[in-house]
Amino acid sequence: MIATQSIPSAFAADHDRLDELFVNFRTCKRTDYARAKEFFKEFKFGLQRHIVWEESILFPRFEHKTGMVKHGPTEVMRLEHRIIADRLEEVHQFVQRQDPNSDHEERLLLESLSEHNQKEEHVLYPALDRLLSDEEKADVFTEMEQTPESAYKVCCGRHE
Ligand SMILES: [Fe+2]
Ligand SMILES: [Fe+2]
């Protein structure tokens, strides 16, 4: 992501990129599991990175600007992230044993993810776009670029 992008478009684009990786995983998991697994890994690390970006860079800024820490939208988003992470882990368990029969778990993950993403795209990202100055927005992108892989590249509790 580059600094000239806006927060709403950059984060919505990352949602779309992750959606596409997950579609690719689902499309080829019954014909080429090795390839499907690569898509899943990229999806998993990408989603974990996205959540780290939001929780450590975006949400604190929203909370600071609005004074809404408890009972605000970011609290709801953090709770939803935990549900998404649990469902991601459920699919991951299937991937670890190369079992393609995770359709039910995939649907659950997709359900929670798409509702969550819609809320962010319609409420949280536009609010940040209004609340932050250009300089503050540039800082957001700088911090995103500086996020170390160790912050999100965790697989089964191990760093890969
Ligand atoms: Fe999120
Ligand atoms: Fe998001």
Side-chain angles (χ1 to χ4, degrees), residues 1 5 7-18 121:
M1 288 190 195
Q5 281 179 297
I7 289 171
S9 65
F11 277 79
D14 204 39
H15 286 166
D16 293 344
R17 187 185 77 88
L18 294 168
E121 289 179 27

Side-chain angles (χ1 to χ4, degrees), residues 11-12 14-15 18 47 50-51 54 58-59 81 113 116-117 120-121 125:
F11 277 79
D14 204 39
H15 286 166
L18 294 168
L47 181 54
H50 186 95
I51 289 174
E54 291 180 342
L58 290 193
F59 296 179
H81 283 168
L113 206 51
H116 175 84
N117 291 351
E120 288 179 340
E121 289 179 27
Y125 302 157

Side-chain angles (χ1 to χ4, degrees), residues 7-69:
I7 289 171
S9 65
F11 277 79
D14 204 39
H15 286 166
D16 293 344
R17 187 185 77 88
L18 294 168
D19 284 347
E20 208 178 300
L21 286 168
F22 199 58
V23 166
N24 291 341
F25 159 72
R26 299 187 85 195
T27 307
C28 64
K29 70 174 182 174
R30 285 197 165 87
T31 49
D32 184 349
Y33 209 88
R35 200 162 156 248
K37 197 169 179 169
E38 286 309 306
F39 283 126
F40 182 80
K41 268 174 79 173
E42 215 184 320
F43 167 74
K44 184 178 189 286
F45 292 142
L47 181 54
Q48 288 170 179
R49 179 176 67 171
H50 186 95
I51 289 174
V52 166
W53 278 341
E54 291 180 342
E55 294 194 354
S56 64
I57 302 170
L58 290 193
F59 296 179
R61 283 171 166 82
F62 178 89
E63 290 158 1
H64 179 74
K65 290 277 179 186
T66 62
M68 280 195 275
V69 180

